[in-house]
Amino acid sequence: MHIAGREGLYKIMERFWSKVLFSADGCWLWSRSTTHGGYGQFGVGSGPQRMMKAHRMAWLLTFGEIPNDLRVLHHCDNPPCVRPDHLFLGTLSDNSQDMVAKGRNRNQQKTHCPAGHAYDLENTHWESGWRKCRKCGAHRARVKRALKKNENHA
């Protein structure tokens, strides 16, 4: 985002930081509009792209531009937090790995496959970093063999 002139920057900074609830020892929380995921959003103009996530704006105002291939991530895992020292830059992959490492991947929290089989040591197979249900895999293999057998006899 390009901000025209020093005066324009000061106005945006004043408007932005006036919407933050500061804490001496914790997160600085965005006090206005949020997304469904709880991330703060800040109006930066008009048109369809007028809203920017508040933590990204906090990064811009504190550290400067964000390279196109990087995201602004939270050390604190608190979506409305805009405290600059709680933020860091990373790739989409870094974000995913951070989410998994902190146990926030919703798939990690699932205890059973969609068919209802338990994800336990006996029934879980790992393939390319993904959990697979052995019972469902065996069922798919039986169906595939049966279809192939019927094809050969037709």
Side-chain angles (χ1 to χ4, degrees), residues 113 117-127 131-142:
C113 78
H117 306 122
Y119 282 130
D120 56 22
L121 289 175
E122 185 180 305
N123 186 47
T124 304
H125 165 72
W126 289 89
E127 185 179 308
R131 277 189 305 191
K132 303 284 183 172
C133 173
R134 289 184 189 274
K135 290 178 182 176
C136 288
H139 175 73
R140 281 192 302 275
R142 283 192 301 274

Side-chain angles (χ1 to χ4, degrees), residues 1 9 14 17 20-21 27-28 43-44 47 57 59 67 75 80 86 92 95 98-99 114 116 131 133 145:
M1 180 184 132
L9 174 62
E14 184 179 328
W17 293 114
V20 175
L21 301 174
C27 293
W28 295 355
V44 292
M57 179 56 85
W59 182 277
H75 287 296
H86 287 200
L92 190 55
N95 195 27
D98 183 55
M99 179 178 63
R131 277 189 305 191
C133 173
R145 281 192 304 272

